[in-house]
Amino acid sequence: MPHALTLNAGSSSLKFALFELGDLSGAPAVRITGLIERIGGSSHMRAQRADGTTISDAPLPPEEAADHETALGRALDLIGQERPDARVVGVGHRVVHGGPDHAVPIVLNAEALEKLRALEPLAPLHQPHNLSGVRAALAAFPEAVQVACFDTAFHRHHPWVNDTFALPRGYYDKGVRRYGFHGLSYDYISGRLAEIAPHLHAGRVVVAHLGNGASMCGMIGGRSIASSMGFSALDGLPMGTRSGQLDPGVVLYLMSQEGMGADEIADLLYKRSGLLGLSGLSNDMRKLEEAGTDAAREAIAYFVFRVRRELGGLAAALGGIDALVFCGGIGEHSVHVRQKVCEGMGWIGLELDEARNMRGETVVSTDLSRIRVLVIPTDEEIVIARAVRDMLARRG
Ligand code: ADP
């Protein structure tokens, strides 16, 4: 039975999912989803079936998840035991950076992999890990088609004003551009909106992907026009541990006055800032909502404030707004954040229905609200699985 495996390799984690592909004409059907955390440390593997039942939820001995390669081996053992009939004919990879050239998924071979490696300086904290996942899969499945799906691809058609910084032109040519990220999530939401509300999909939509990483995207007709993330996955909204938009003068100050080097500043901005830095407590929104300390409340207030500012900015970039979509762990589950983001937004034509919001319905705006507000769970894995299926179908 032909199957696709999807892999999303982070710095110390590996997310995997197995999809049955059938005869390549229908939707890939998810069979297993799993996550190995803390690779190289005290690792843990969780995996479940499509019906939500648990296959595994247990620590892994260090030698079984010493690096991405051994972790993938462990995931494949689990898949083999659970679905011995699964023949993996394609592997899809989430790759954070596709550079300026890739607006669609590509088939990976040694040459393509080398080109993606050259992009590592553009995303030093993500790209090398994504590519170690690719290398591990190439070794494990030399016969399967390997497909890279880029987080930047969905945004590659931005108008120039949303693609550049006001630096001397040469930097743009060297690749210093506003790439935007979370493209697989936006791609999924765009497609889902086309299914459930085609008139909104055709219009002006702002999507707020609010998870541990967070960004917002303005779309017209399902295509990205602008995004809150720019050159790196640091820009825009504050995140679990990332600062979000920052005056570049702060970085100059840290260098010249505090004597900090690039690695220290990267550690500060990627790992010690955002909700964690502001609250001094946690990067986890749920914990902050439960904690209720002044610092936790202020961290949430800053997060909400930046989402609201970005919403106004994106609405202006789109020339108006017909719908706001919440997704990501916070967007999907935090009644409080959705309520605060939408509070007092009557002036723009947005009115939240408190009861619908509490119940987490798909549409959480009032019937009279000119702007529709929706909550749509995102699914990056299925976007990758579809790309693998399409690539296989094209190859015949
Ligand atoms: P990632 O970007 O790592 O995929 P997720 O999209 O899973 O992250 O989002 C994780 C965030 O969602 C965390 O901050 C978590 O606290 C938050 N979250 C999940 N469930 C809830 C909830 N019920 N209420 C508030 N926040 C929640």
PDB file of all heavy atoms in Angstrom, residues 156 158-173 176-179 230-231:
ATOM      1  N   ARG A 156       6.073  34.194  -1.889  1.00  0.00           N
ATOM      2  CA  ARG A 156       7.045  34.647  -2.886  1.00  0.00           C
ATOM      3  C   ARG A 156       6.470  35.598  -3.933  1.00  0.00           C
ATOM      4  O   ARG A 156       7.212  36.134  -4.748  1.00  0.00           O
ATOM      5  CB  ARG A 156       7.722  33.453  -3.581  1.00  0.00           C
ATOM      6  CG  ARG A 156       8.788  32.734  -2.791  1.00  0.00           C
ATOM      7  CD  ARG A 156       9.666  33.615  -1.892  1.00  0.00           C
ATOM      8  NE  ARG A 156      10.433  34.631  -2.585  1.00  0.00           N
ATOM      9  CZ  ARG A 156      10.627  35.868  -2.135  1.00  0.00           C
ATOM     10  NH1 ARG A 156      10.112  36.280  -1.015  1.00  0.00           N
ATOM     11  NH2 ARG A 156      11.343  36.715  -2.825  1.00  0.00           N
ATOM     12  N   HIS A 158       4.829  38.373  -3.143  1.00  0.00           N
ATOM     13  CA  HIS A 158       4.590  39.693  -2.528  1.00  0.00           C
ATOM     14  C   HIS A 158       4.939  40.813  -3.495  1.00  0.00           C
ATOM     15  O   HIS A 158       5.944  40.736  -4.195  1.00  0.00           O
ATOM     16  CB  HIS A 158       5.501  39.863  -1.298  1.00  0.00           C
ATOM     17  CG  HIS A 158       4.960  39.233  -0.063  1.00  0.00           C
ATOM     18  ND1 HIS A 158       5.614  39.289   1.144  1.00  0.00           N
ATOM     19  CD2 HIS A 158       3.817  38.548   0.160  1.00  0.00           C
ATOM     20  CE1 HIS A 158       4.901  38.658   2.050  1.00  0.00           C
ATOM     21  NE2 HIS A 158       3.816  38.196   1.474  1.00  0.00           N
ATOM     22  N   PRO A 159       4.118  41.872  -3.475  1.00  0.00           N
ATOM     23  CA  PRO A 159       4.543  43.061  -4.220  1.00  0.00           C
ATOM     24  C   PRO A 159       5.903  43.540  -3.686  1.00  0.00           C
ATOM     25  O   PRO A 159       6.228  43.314  -2.516  1.00  0.00           O
ATOM     26  CB  PRO A 159       3.464  44.093  -3.892  1.00  0.00           C
ATOM     27  CG  PRO A 159       2.357  43.355  -3.241  1.00  0.00           C
ATOM     28  CD  PRO A 159       2.868  42.048  -2.754  1.00  0.00           C
ATOM     29  N   TRP A 160       6.664  44.212  -4.541  1.00  0.00           N
ATOM     30  CA  TRP A 160       8.038  44.592  -4.181  1.00  0.00           C
ATOM     31  C   TRP A 160       8.096  45.357  -2.859  1.00  0.00           C
ATOM     32  O   TRP A 160       8.996  45.143  -2.047  1.00  0.00           O
ATOM     33  CB  TRP A 160       8.654  45.429  -5.319  1.00  0.00           C
ATOM     34  CG  TRP A 160      10.055  45.830  -5.041  1.00  0.00           C
ATOM     35  CD1 TRP A 160      11.175  45.042  -5.128  1.00  0.00           C
ATOM     36  CD2 TRP A 160      10.497  47.106  -4.590  1.00  0.00           C
ATOM     37  NE1 TRP A 160      12.288  45.758  -4.764  1.00  0.00           N
ATOM     38  CE2 TRP A 160      11.902  47.035  -4.435  1.00  0.00           C
ATOM     39  CE3 TRP A 160       9.853  48.313  -4.310  1.00  0.00           C
ATOM     40  CZ2 TRP A 160      12.666  48.116  -4.012  1.00  0.00           C
ATOM     41  CZ3 TRP A 160      10.617  49.391  -3.892  1.00  0.00           C
ATOM     42  CH2 TRP A 160      12.009  49.291  -3.742  1.00  0.00           C
ATOM     43  N   VAL A 161       7.136  46.274  -2.633  1.00  0.00           N
ATOM     44  CA  VAL A 161       7.186  47.074  -1.392  1.00  0.00           C
ATOM     45  C   VAL A 161       7.083  46.193  -0.150  1.00  0.00           C
ATOM     46  O   VAL A 161       7.520  46.585   0.930  1.00  0.00           O
ATOM     47  CB  VAL A 161       6.080  48.164  -1.328  1.00  0.00           C
ATOM     48  CG1 VAL A 161       6.394  49.306  -2.270  1.00  0.00           C
ATOM     49  CG2 VAL A 161       4.700  47.579  -1.580  1.00  0.00           C
ATOM     50  N   ASN A 162       6.494  45.014  -0.283  1.00  0.00           N
ATOM     51  CA  ASN A 162       6.424  44.101   0.859  1.00  0.00           C
ATOM     52  C   ASN A 162       7.509  43.031   0.794  1.00  0.00           C
ATOM     53  O   ASN A 162       7.483  42.068   1.551  1.00  0.00           O
ATOM     54  CB  ASN A 162       5.051  43.410   0.915  1.00  0.00           C
ATOM     55  CG  ASN A 162       3.971  44.365   1.342  1.00  0.00           C
ATOM     56  OD1 ASN A 162       4.243  45.316   2.057  1.00  0.00           O
ATOM     57  ND2 ASN A 162       2.762  44.125   0.890  1.00  0.00           N
ATOM     58  N   ASP A 163       8.418  43.178  -0.131  1.00  0.00           N
ATOM     59  CA  ASP A 163       9.459  42.167  -0.307  1.00  0.00           C
ATOM     60  C   ASP A 163      10.831  42.738   0.043  1.00  0.00           C
ATOM     61  O   ASP A 163      11.800  42.004   0.172  1.00  0.00           O
ATOM     62  CB  ASP A 163       9.456  41.689  -1.763  1.00  0.00           C
ATOM     63  CG  ASP A 163      10.226  40.398  -1.961  1.00  0.00           C
ATOM     64  OD1 ASP A 163      10.154  39.515  -1.077  1.00  0.00           O
ATOM     65  OD2 ASP A 163      10.921  40.272  -2.983  1.00  0.00           O
ATOM     66  N   THR A 164      10.909  44.058   0.194  1.00  0.00           N
ATOM     67  CA  THR A 164      12.211  44.685   0.363  1.00  0.00           C
ATOM     68  C   THR A 164      12.318  45.435   1.688  1.00  0.00           C
ATOM     69  O   THR A 164      11.317  45.673   2.369  1.00  0.00           O
ATOM     70  CB  THR A 164      12.488  45.669  -0.802  1.00  0.00           C
ATOM     71  OG1 THR A 164      13.848  46.063  -0.746  1.00  0.00           O
ATOM     72  CG2 THR A 164      11.604  46.897  -0.738  1.00  0.00           C
ATOM     73  N   PHE A 165      13.534  45.768   2.065  1.00  0.00           N
ATOM     74  CA  PHE A 165      13.799  46.715   3.149  1.00  0.00           C
ATOM     75  C   PHE A 165      14.381  47.975   2.507  1.00  0.00           C
ATOM     76  O   PHE A 165      14.895  47.921   1.396  1.00  0.00           O
ATOM     77  CB  PHE A 165      14.816  46.138   4.143  1.00  0.00           C
ATOM     78  CG  PHE A 165      14.353  44.904   4.843  1.00  0.00           C
ATOM     79  CD1 PHE A 165      14.753  43.652   4.413  1.00  0.00           C
ATOM     80  CD2 PHE A 165      13.510  44.982   5.950  1.00  0.00           C
ATOM     81  CE1 PHE A 165      14.319  42.502   5.063  1.00  0.00           C
ATOM     82  CE2 PHE A 165      13.077  43.836   6.599  1.00  0.00           C
ATOM     83  CZ  PHE A 165      13.480  42.588   6.152  1.00  0.00           C
ATOM     84  N   ALA A 166      14.355  49.083   3.242  1.00  0.00           N
ATOM     85  CA  ALA A 166      14.913  50.318   2.690  1.00  0.00           C
ATOM     86  C   ALA A 166      16.419  50.368   2.950  1.00  0.00           C
ATOM     87  O   ALA A 166      16.925  51.232   3.660  1.00  0.00           O
ATOM     88  CB  ALA A 166      14.202  51.534   3.293  1.00  0.00           C
ATOM     89  N   LEU A 167      17.112  49.391   2.370  1.00  0.00           N
ATOM     90  CA  LEU A 167      18.576  49.336   2.438  1.00  0.00           C
ATOM     91  C   LEU A 167      19.098  49.588   1.021  1.00  0.00           C
ATOM     92  O   LEU A 167      18.334  49.484   0.061  1.00  0.00           O
ATOM     93  CB  LEU A 167      19.025  47.939   2.906  1.00  0.00           C
ATOM     94  CG  LEU A 167      18.699  47.556   4.349  1.00  0.00           C
ATOM     95  CD1 LEU A 167      18.956  46.075   4.576  1.00  0.00           C
ATOM     96  CD2 LEU A 167      19.511  48.412   5.318  1.00  0.00           C
ATOM     97  N   PRO A 168      20.373  49.882   0.879  1.00  0.00           N
ATOM     98  CA  PRO A 168      20.904  49.994  -0.488  1.00  0.00           C
ATOM     99  C   PRO A 168      20.555  48.738  -1.290  1.00  0.00           C
ATOM    100  O   PRO A 168      20.569  47.628  -0.752  1.00  0.00           O
ATOM    101  CB  PRO A 168      22.414  50.121  -0.264  1.00  0.00           C
ATOM    102  CG  PRO A 168      22.539  50.715   1.104  1.00  0.00           C
ATOM    103  CD  PRO A 168      21.387  50.158   1.900  1.00  0.00           C
ATOM    104  N   ARG A 169      20.251  48.942  -2.564  1.00  0.00           N
ATOM    105  CA  ARG A 169      19.693  47.882  -3.413  1.00  0.00           C
ATOM    106  C   ARG A 169      20.472  46.572  -3.413  1.00  0.00           C
ATOM    107  O   ARG A 169      19.895  45.501  -3.549  1.00  0.00           O
ATOM    108  CB  ARG A 169      19.617  48.375  -4.863  1.00  0.00           C
ATOM    109  CG  ARG A 169      18.594  49.455  -5.070  1.00  0.00           C
ATOM    110  CD  ARG A 169      17.383  48.826  -5.665  1.00  0.00           C
ATOM    111  NE  ARG A 169      16.358  49.834  -5.896  1.00  0.00           N
ATOM    112  CZ  ARG A 169      15.202  49.572  -6.499  1.00  0.00           C
ATOM    113  NH1 ARG A 169      14.952  48.366  -6.932  1.00  0.00           N
ATOM    114  NH2 ARG A 169      14.315  50.502  -6.651  1.00  0.00           N
ATOM    115  N   GLY A 170      21.792  46.703  -3.267  1.00  0.00           N
ATOM    116  CA  GLY A 170      22.648  45.512  -3.357  1.00  0.00           C
ATOM    117  C   GLY A 170      22.254  44.445  -2.342  1.00  0.00           C
ATOM    118  O   GLY A 170      22.407  43.251  -2.603  1.00  0.00           O
ATOM    119  N   TYR A 171      21.717  44.859  -1.197  1.00  0.00           N
ATOM    120  CA  TYR A 171      21.359  43.875  -0.171  1.00  0.00           C
ATOM    121  C   TYR A 171      20.157  43.035  -0.618  1.00  0.00           C
ATOM    122  O   TYR A 171      20.068  41.844  -0.322  1.00  0.00           O
ATOM    123  CB  TYR A 171      21.076  44.569   1.166  1.00  0.00           C
ATOM    124  CG  TYR A 171      22.340  45.090   1.804  1.00  0.00           C
ATOM    125  CD1 TYR A 171      22.714  46.417   1.666  1.00  0.00           C
ATOM    126  CD2 TYR A 171      23.181  44.231   2.501  1.00  0.00           C
ATOM    127  CE1 TYR A 171      23.890  46.895   2.218  1.00  0.00           C
ATOM    128  CE2 TYR A 171      24.358  44.689   3.064  1.00  0.00           C
ATOM    129  CZ  TYR A 171      24.706  46.021   2.921  1.00  0.00           C
ATOM    130  OH  TYR A 171      25.876  46.471   3.457  1.00  0.00           O
ATOM    131  N   TYR A 172      19.237  43.670  -1.309  1.00  0.00           N
ATOM    132  CA  TYR A 172      18.080  42.924  -1.848  1.00  0.00           C
ATOM    133  C   TYR A 172      18.584  41.832  -2.803  1.00  0.00           C
ATOM    134  O   TYR A 172      18.170  40.671  -2.723  1.00  0.00           O
ATOM    135  CB  TYR A 172      17.147  43.894  -2.580  1.00  0.00           C
ATOM    136  CG  TYR A 172      15.907  43.254  -3.153  1.00  0.00           C
ATOM    137  CD1 TYR A 172      14.781  43.051  -2.360  1.00  0.00           C
ATOM    138  CD2 TYR A 172      15.864  42.858  -4.493  1.00  0.00           C
ATOM    139  CE1 TYR A 172      13.626  42.467  -2.885  1.00  0.00           C
ATOM    140  CE2 TYR A 172      14.722  42.274  -5.023  1.00  0.00           C
ATOM    141  CZ  TYR A 172      13.613  42.079  -4.219  1.00  0.00           C
ATOM    142  OH  TYR A 172      12.487  41.496  -4.743  1.00  0.00           O
ATOM    143  N   ASP A 173      19.517  42.233  -3.665  1.00  0.00           N
ATOM    144  CA  ASP A 173      20.054  41.271  -4.638  1.00  0.00           C
ATOM    145  C   ASP A 173      20.783  40.126  -3.939  1.00  0.00           C
ATOM    146  O   ASP A 173      20.804  39.000  -4.425  1.00  0.00           O
ATOM    147  CB  ASP A 173      20.999  41.978  -5.624  1.00  0.00           C
ATOM    148  CG  ASP A 173      20.268  43.068  -6.396  1.00  0.00           C
ATOM    149  OD1 ASP A 173      19.034  42.935  -6.549  1.00  0.00           O
ATOM    150  OD2 ASP A 173      20.911  44.050  -6.808  1.00  0.00           O
ATOM    151  N   VAL A 176      18.669  39.789   1.031  1.00  0.00           N
ATOM    152  CA  VAL A 176      18.124  40.398   2.250  1.00  0.00           C
ATOM    153  C   VAL A 176      16.724  40.930   1.920  1.00  0.00           C
ATOM    154  O   VAL A 176      16.561  42.056   1.444  1.00  0.00           O
ATOM    155  CB  VAL A 176      19.050  41.507   2.792  1.00  0.00           C
ATOM    156  CG1 VAL A 176      18.483  42.084   4.087  1.00  0.00           C
ATOM    157  CG2 VAL A 176      20.446  40.962   3.037  1.00  0.00           C
ATOM    158  N   ARG A 177      15.729  40.074   2.107  1.00  0.00           N
ATOM    159  CA  ARG A 177      14.360  40.388   1.685  1.00  0.00           C
ATOM    160  C   ARG A 177      13.374  40.014   2.781  1.00  0.00           C
ATOM    161  O   ARG A 177      13.702  39.282   3.710  1.00  0.00           O
ATOM    162  CB  ARG A 177      13.995  39.582   0.428  1.00  0.00           C
ATOM    163  CG  ARG A 177      14.942  39.820  -0.694  1.00  0.00           C
ATOM    164  CD  ARG A 177      14.485  39.090  -1.944  1.00  0.00           C
ATOM    165  NE  ARG A 177      15.533  39.203  -2.968  1.00  0.00           N
ATOM    166  CZ  ARG A 177      15.377  38.865  -4.226  1.00  0.00           C
ATOM    167  NH1 ARG A 177      14.223  38.370  -4.618  1.00  0.00           N
ATOM    168  NH2 ARG A 177      16.367  38.986  -5.074  1.00  0.00           N
ATOM    169  N   ARG A 178      12.147  40.447   2.606  1.00  0.00           N
ATOM    170  CA  ARG A 178      11.078  40.024   3.523  1.00  0.00           C
ATOM    171  C   ARG A 178      10.484  38.727   2.972  1.00  0.00           C
ATOM    172  O   ARG A 178       9.616  38.758   2.111  1.00  0.00           O
ATOM    173  CB  ARG A 178       9.967  41.071   3.562  1.00  0.00           C
ATOM    174  CG  ARG A 178      10.314  42.343   4.262  1.00  0.00           C
ATOM    175  CD  ARG A 178       9.070  43.237   4.311  1.00  0.00           C
ATOM    176  NE  ARG A 178       9.458  44.612   4.461  1.00  0.00           N
ATOM    177  CZ  ARG A 178       9.651  45.202   5.636  1.00  0.00           C
ATOM    178  NH1 ARG A 178       9.453  44.539   6.748  1.00  0.00           N
ATOM    179  NH2 ARG A 178      10.012  46.461   5.697  1.00  0.00           N
ATOM    180  N   TYR A 179      10.946  37.622   3.490  1.00  0.00           N
ATOM    181  CA  TYR A 179      10.474  36.334   2.967  1.00  0.00           C
ATOM    182  C   TYR A 179       9.105  35.953   3.526  1.00  0.00           C
ATOM    183  O   TYR A 179       8.229  35.519   2.795  1.00  0.00           O
ATOM    184  CB  TYR A 179      11.494  35.238   3.286  1.00  0.00           C
ATOM    185  CG  TYR A 179      12.769  35.399   2.506  1.00  0.00           C
ATOM    186  CD1 TYR A 179      13.893  35.974   3.084  1.00  0.00           C
ATOM    187  CD2 TYR A 179      12.822  35.018   1.176  1.00  0.00           C
ATOM    188  CE1 TYR A 179      15.058  36.142   2.359  1.00  0.00           C
ATOM    189  CE2 TYR A 179      13.981  35.178   0.438  1.00  0.00           C
ATOM    190  CZ  TYR A 179      15.101  35.755   1.035  1.00  0.00           C
ATOM    191  OH  TYR A 179      16.238  35.927   0.304  1.00  0.00           O
ATOM    192  N   GLY A 230       9.526  38.832   8.410  1.00  0.00           N
ATOM    193  CA  GLY A 230      10.300  39.405   7.326  1.00  0.00           C
ATOM    194  C   GLY A 230      11.442  38.529   6.893  1.00  0.00           C
ATOM    195  O   GLY A 230      11.252  37.434   6.355  1.00  0.00           O
ATOM    196  N   PHE A 231      12.652  38.998   7.123  1.00  0.00           N
ATOM    197  CA  PHE A 231      13.877  38.309   6.704  1.00  0.00           C
ATOM    198  C   PHE A 231      14.071  37.022   7.486  1.00  0.00           C
ATOM    199  O   PHE A 231      14.530  36.012   6.959  1.00  0.00           O
ATOM    200  CB  PHE A 231      15.053  39.262   6.939  1.00  0.00           C
ATOM    201  CG  PHE A 231      16.395  38.676   6.657  1.00  0.00           C
ATOM    202  CD1 PHE A 231      16.773  38.362   5.357  1.00  0.00           C
ATOM    203  CD2 PHE A 231      17.291  38.451   7.690  1.00  0.00           C
ATOM    204  CE1 PHE A 231      18.023  37.830   5.104  1.00  0.00           C
ATOM    205  CE2 PHE A 231      18.537  37.916   7.440  1.00  0.00           C
ATOM    206  CZ  PHE A 231      18.906  37.603   6.140  1.00  0.00           C
TER     207      PHE A 231
END
